[in-house]
Amino acid sequence: MKKRWMKMAAALCAAAVFGGCGASMEEAGTVVAETGFRFNLSCAPPVEKTFTMDEETIVLLHAGSQTAALGLEQGTLTDVRPRATIEIYTDGDWNILRMDDHGRIIGLQADILRESGWIAADTTEDGLMEVLEKVAVQVDVDLTRYPDIELYGGCQLRLYQDIDSPYTDYIHAEFDETGKFCFVKIHYSNIISLSEEDEAYFAGLLAESIGSDTPYTVSTAYFAEGGVLAASYTVTYSDPQKGVWVENYTAGKSLQ
């Protein structure tokens, strides 16, 4: 994901970020959507979900839930980690739908062995977008909310709500080399605006943990889930003798 890049100096100064609007709760200057404070569904998930692939309606049954801490097992800088419950639906084959504990569809995987349905005429941006528009209807996503588009890797699309924001919502869709849709992932940051204090807090955590003389840059993405504000760091080191390598870290801060 394309994020704002920050040069790491001793003080790691916080940069300004863009805000937004929507239902919210506020803590320490950072404004988080109410979904960022919830953890479990207030009612049982639906027994089944359906989607229509061109002319075919596919029925998926609830296959269970997964509750896990988000972020990395290795490289976690704090004991506080966001947790989320994901509801999983499947037709018993390779069609799989995932729904978060706010009732939002966050992923749809289609049977790659199928011979028809959601296959782009070509793998240009326009060709893939034509199929993604059909998929978006089935996963209840309004693509007009994601105006920043990138095509990369030949068959991958990324659509961002705000590509320059470190807490943007985004959609990631992948296709095979023939243009056949494989899966889509929808990421919600649940953050409306981020305070300079919280940004500086996370930057300081990383600076204390790295303690390296090797020059590096950092890409940081923020999100909120289950009452926890989290930062995900991608650190790129560049050493004249050792070359370039990447390490990943995560950290969390309670909002309650």
Side-chain angles (χ1 to χ4, degrees):
M1 172 180 166
K2 188 173 182 179
K3 311 176 186 77
R4 184 176 53 194
W5 286 81
M6 301 181 293
K7 292 287 185 180
M8 299 295 290
L12 276 172
C13 297
V17 295
F18 297 99
C21 55
S24 66
M25 296 180 70
E26 188 170 355
E27 177 77 16
T30 289
V31 182
V32 174
E34 289 182 0
T35 49
F37 287 83
R38 294 174 55 194
F39 179 55
N40 291 311
L41 285 168
S42 58
C43 58
V47 174
E48 68 177 38
K49 301 286 289 185
T50 63
F51 70 91
T52 302
M53 180 184 292
D54 292 340
E55 302 301 322
E56 182 184 5
T57 298
I58 298 173
V59 178
L60 309 173
L61 299 179
H62 187 238
S65 305
Q66 288 182 344
T67 300
L70 305 178
L72 303 172
E73 292 298 332
Q74 302 296 325
T76 300
L77 306 183
T78 62
D79 293 332
V80 180
R81 296 177 63 186
R83 297 178 64 83
T85 298
I86 306 301
E87 307 297 338
I88 301 172
Y89 295 81
T90 179
D91 63 350
D93 293 321
W94 295 104
N95 294 303
I96 301 172
L97 181 145
R98 292 177 173 83
M99 186 174 71
D100 70 10
D101 53 3
H102 316 304
R104 302 175 297 194
I105 296 174
I106 58 171
L108 178 61
Q109 173 183 314
D111 184 358
I112 195 62
L113 299 179
R114 69 185 189 279
E115 297 181 355
S116 62
W118 290 352
I119 301 176
D122 54 60
T123 56
T124 63
E125 180 178 311
D126 288 343
L128 299 182
M129 279 296 298
E130 184 175 348
V131 172
L132 184 57
E133 287 170 358
K134 298 178 181 179
V135 177
V137 172
Q138 301 303 314
V139 296
D140 300 323
V141 169
D142 180 3
L143 294 186
T144 63
R145 293 183 59 248
Y146 301 85
D148 300 333
I149 304 174
E150 284 189 335
L151 171 66
Y152 65 99
C155 305
Q156 301 179 46
L157 279 175
R158 275 282 179 95
L159 283 68
Y160 303 88
Q161 192 172 35
D162 179 358
I163 199 170
D164 294 319
S165 169
Y167 49 87
T168 185
D169 293 354
Y170 68 87
I171 298 170
H172 177 86
E174 292 198 11
F175 300 75
D176 71 5
E177 65 279 359
T178 70
K180 183 186 297 184
F181 170 81
C182 298
F183 70 87
V184 66
K185 172 186 176 182
I186 303 102
H187 169 79
Y188 296 99
S189 76
N190 298 322
I191 297 174
I192 295 171
S193 64
L194 185 71
S195 70
E196 292 184 359
E197 290 80 5
D198 281 337
E199 195 168 14
Y201 166 77
F202 284 111
L205 278 179
L206 183 64
E208 292 175 4
S209 300
I210 292 180
S212 174
D213 294 329
T214 303
Y216 60 89
T217 57
V218 179
S219 172
T220 308
Y222 304 92
F223 66 96
E225 186 64 63
V228 173
L229 177 63
S232 175
Y233 317 91
T234 299
V235 183
T236 303
Y237 295 88
S238 180
D239 183 273
Q241 282 74 43
K242 298 180 180 179
V244 177
W245 71 96
V246 174
E247 294 181 3
N248 295 295
Y249 303 87
T250 57
K253 174 185 177 182
S254 177
L255 292 170
Q256 299 176 345

